[in-house]
Amino acid sequence: MNGSFEATIGLEIHVQLNTKTKLFCSCLRETNNLPNINICPICVGLPGVLPKPNKRAIILAVKSSLLLNMKISRESFFERKNYFYPDLPKNYQISQYRIPLAENGHLELRNGKKIGIQRLHLEEDAGKMIHSEGGSYVDFSRSGIPLCEIVTKPDISSPDEAYEFLARLHRVLTWCDITEGNMEEGHIRCDVNVSVRPKGSEKLGTKVEIKNVNSFRFIKEALEYEIARQIEKIRNGESIRQETRGYDPTTKKTFIMREKEFAHDYRYFPEPDLLPIIIDDYLIEEVRREIPELPDSKKKRFEEEYKLSEYSSEILTSQRILSELFEDLGNKFDDKKLVANFILEEILRSVNEGLCDLKRDYIKIRESAEEILLSQTKGELTRNLAKEAFREVIEGKADIHSAINKRKIKTESSEIEQAVEKVLQNNPKEVQRYKGGEKKLLGFFIGEVVKIIKADPKLIREIIQRKLG
Ligand code: ZN
Ligand code: MN
């Protein structure tokens, strides 16, 4: 990258935890409703209310800490982070500061590089501002939703690494049901710090923050642009200003949002209405037991046990549900590659085209695939017919049995023999010529038989050859 410069990148990620209710009250977490529906005096912070912590949120944060190889604080506490903003009517956010829930972990990239994680803490989300022409609005349904804030060490040195880190973090957190991980819904939000410096220089460059970028791909693009921008400035003898920038995906450029902010004094102090969070060995063990086999280990197992290619195993372990579908179906067939290919080609194609959803239509997908693959292994369906049948079922145009039955090629040789007999009787001249040595007429006979009966051409060929000696 740009010869003599190197980039230093750190990420700050907010992950919405997959709980049923909010962090300190029993309002539902879901927001995909009318605005200001799931709210109560606690989550809008009316005076005199008492927050009560959600144990599930703490468990999910502990689980994230274990997955990120972090040191869990046996005793941490909530603090009030004081600031005013229209989406935060109580004037403080309940967060953690001096002692976070966990510290000092790492997440490993594919090439073995470990990206350090500085801290992980629990906090509540604020409301959501909506700016539109008639004015600005605020939806408090999001207030009090549990978040895990994860801050990396500045160990990331390229946009590709940042992308891979985020993709891996997303995969492991969704794999373990810690977050729903829906990017459009803002379940994972990421701010980026980036600076550049001459290679080998001890001193870090001035860092710029990029905020509110809502997809991993855009984060990568924003970093690419921003690193080039900073290098060019340094080369021109200009200095980098400490500032907060946004990213515009249409122009693929970052733009200034605000100049160096005065250092906020949030006047943190311990939240007097909440007890410390005590985490004992028993809880840690309980959480550890909830962790399923992780993607990297499953991927290795798919390669070794089932002899799948690295590529197939990688895709089959990109989502837990996909790996489970493979195992569910794979259990029923000896030919694991047949199952893997059917999932990678047919099922994923249908999912990508929006014809079905792995979670919503899991049973339908699994059952149709099983019936179809069963017919294919029995020789009743060719690969193409199997594909057609699956598509018809997924498009809702036929049920699985009629989709298979109408395509089934006959394997009962008595029926095929009758058809062959009929063709030979109807074409005595061709039979004579074949017997006289014109072997290429075999194709003609097969063609005639197929007009009468849908059957495996290989089988037809065998029967004709046998009958004509
Ligand atoms: Zn509430
Ligand atoms: Mn935060």
Side-chain angles (χ1 to χ4, degrees):
M1 176 218 316
N2 289 284
S4 49
F5 287 89
E6 61 188 357
T8 305
I9 301 166
L11 304 173
E12 186 186 303
I13 304 135
H14 285 89
V15 178
Q16 183 175 129
L17 298 174
N18 189 5
T19 53
K20 200 163 180 278
T21 55
K22 294 186 179 181
L23 188 51
F24 298 116
C25 62
S26 47
C27 291
L28 290 179
R29 181 179 57 90
E30 64 192 35
T31 53
N32 51 351
N33 220 318
L34 289 167
N36 295 310
I37 291 294
N38 295 319
I39 58 174
C40 75
I42 294 177
C43 55
V44 296
L46 296 189
V49 295
L50 277 177
K52 39 185 191 309
N54 179 338
K55 185 173 179 193
R56 192 68 201 154
I58 295 172
I59 285 177
L60 293 177
V62 168
K63 203 189 278 190
S64 314
S65 308
L66 290 174
L67 292 166
L68 297 173
N69 312 290
M70 303 190 73
K71 184 173 169 286
I72 295 169
S73 311
R74 294 317 174 99
E75 183 172 339
S76 66
F77 56 93
F78 286 109
E79 300 201 51
R80 288 189 182 177
K81 179 181 182 179
N82 296 280
Y83 67 97
F84 170 75
Y85 203 69
D87 62 13
L88 189 74
K90 69 178 188 251
N91 286 345
Y92 60 86
Q93 176 193 29
I94 304 180
S95 179
Q96 294 192 282
Y97 184 59
R98 264 163 290 175
I99 302 179
L101 189 94
E103 287 174 288
N104 267 324
H106 67 263
L107 181 71
E108 200 170 307
L109 300 183
R110 207 171 317 156
N111 65 8
K113 177 172 174 181
K114 287 177 179 165
I115 305 297
I117 317 261
Q118 183 127 28
R119 55 184 278 140
L120 179 153
H121 72 244
L122 265 170
E123 63 185 27
E124 58 177 348
D125 208 344
K128 189 178 182 178
M129 298 291 296
I130 297 149
H131 305 283
S132 75
E133 251 172 71
S136 288
Y137 304 84
V138 56
D139 176 7
F140 291 115
S141 291
R142 209 178 68 181
S143 311
I145 281 182
L147 301 176
C148 231
E149 182 179 316
I150 297 169
V151 182
T152 73
K153 294 182 180 163
D155 290 347
I156 298 168
S157 41
S158 71
D160 284 324
E161 277 185 13
Y163 182 88
E164 194 195 335
F165 176 88
L166 289 167
R168 294 200 138 224
L169 181 70
H170 180 272
R171 183 178 67 166
V172 77
L173 295 180
T174 51
W175 188 278
C176 298
D177 294 322
I178 285 165
T179 177
E180 290 178 87
N182 185 331
M183 301 297 293
E184 288 96 72
E185 301 273 343
H187 291 166
I188 298 191
R189 310 196 291 266
C190 178
D191 298 334
V192 188
N193 279 306
V194 54
S195 65
V196 300
R197 61 177 159 179
K199 256 199 187 125
S201 152
E202 296 268 297
K203 199 170 155 275
L204 285 172
T206 307
K207 69 179 176 190
V208 165
E209 189 180 26
I210 311 172
K211 265 190 181 300
N212 303 335
V213 187
N214 59 8
S215 89
F216 296 162
R217 188 165 58 86
F218 291 162
I219 285 171
K220 180 172 166 247
E221 289 174 7
L223 279 168
E224 279 160 358
Y225 174 82
E226 186 56 26
I227 290 168
R229 185 188 73 89
Q230 292 184 18
I231 290 174
E232 183 169 326
K233 278 204 168 256
I234 296 171
R235 284 210 171 117
N236 292 339
E238 296 171 56
S239 61
I240 307 291
R241 275 198 304 260
Q242 192 183 335
E243 59 196 15
T244 301
R245 300 178 71 88
Y247 176 67
D248 180 353
T250 51
T251 61
K252 296 191 187 301
K253 288 181 176 172
T254 63
F255 58 88
I256 182 152
M257 284 166 74
R258 46 187 185 261
E259 295 260 354
K260 175 184 170 23
E261 285 175 86
F262 53 94
H264 277 290
D265 179 3
Y266 290 117
R267 292 170 294 120
Y268 281 98
F269 65 84
E271 163 61 64
D273 292 335
L274 289 164
L275 291 168
I277 307 171
I278 310 282
I279 292 167
D280 57 16
D281 292 344
Y282 180 79
L283 182 81
I284 292 179
E285 271 325 297
E286 192 183 295
V287 174
R288 211 187 285 283
R289 259 179 280 140
E290 275 187 17
I291 296 178
E293 186 185 7
L294 295 177
D296 283 338
S297 127
K298 228 179 208 189
K299 177 182 165 230
K300 215 167 133 214
R301 194 161 59 74
F302 285 179
E303 286 172 48
E304 285 167 3
E305 236 171 79
Y306 305 132
K307 308 282 171 258
L308 299 186
S309 68
E310 199 201 333
Y311 173 80
S312 303
S313 310
E314 175 85 26
I315 298 183
L316 288 172
T317 52
S318 59
Q319 298 172 56
R320 184 161 139 209
I321 192 166
L322 207 53
S323 73
E324 287 170 350
L325 178 65
F326 170 67
E327 289 183 295
D328 269 5
L329 276 173
N331 275 336
K332 310 236 162 64
F333 297 92
D334 291 331
D335 188 347
K336 312 293 181 198
K337 279 184 191 152
L338 176 80
V339 174
N341 288 338
F342 192 79
I343 293 176
L344 294 176
E345 285 158 27
E346 302 319 319
I347 298 182
L348 278 187
R349 192 200 329 263
S350 309
V351 170
N352 292 338
E353 287 176 16
L355 294 170
C356 57
D357 180 86
L358 280 173
K359 207 164 174 186
R360 189 190 60 211
D361 309 316
Y362 188 85
I363 293 177
K364 183 180 181 186
I365 292 172
R366 195 198 65 206
E367 286 178 350
S368 339
E370 185 181 337
E371 298 272 348
I372 286 168
L373 288 171
L374 198 64
S375 290
Q376 196 182 335
T377 49
K378 281 199 249 164
E380 294 167 349
L381 290 177
T382 61
R383 210 177 126 180
N384 264 335
L385 290 171
K387 180 173 143 179
E388 274 177 36
F390 182 73
R391 200 147 177 110
E392 198 174 47
V393 174
I394 288 306
E395 285 177 351
K397 291 183 183 153
D399 66 84
I400 182 66
H401 295 290
S402 66
I404 292 177
N405 284 334
K406 71 178 159 203
R407 291 183 175 79
K408 244 187 200 167
I409 40 189
K410 298 287 182 298
T411 54
E412 290 292 315
S413 57
S414 63
E415 280 175 75
I416 305 171
E417 283 195 38
Q418 280 174 16
V420 170
E421 206 54 60
K422 202 165 159 196
V423 167
L424 298 182
Q425 275 169 16
N426 292 346
N427 300 282
K429 270 189 225 148
E430 283 76 9
V431 171
Q432 281 315 315
R433 280 163 57 198
Y434 180 90
K435 286 184 170 165
E438 268 190 71
K439 298 296 181 206
K440 66 169 193 279
L441 279 165
L442 186 59
F444 162 77
F445 293 128
I446 295 173
E448 290 301 298
V449 174
V450 170
K451 284 182 194 164
I452 303 173
I453 187 169
K454 243 196 208 160
D456 184 358
K458 236 173 39 203
L459 212 55
I460 301 176
R461 171 191 298 259
E462 279 167 24
I463 294 172
I464 297 172
Q465 283 173 326
R466 177 156 44 80
K467 287 204 183 281
L468 294 179

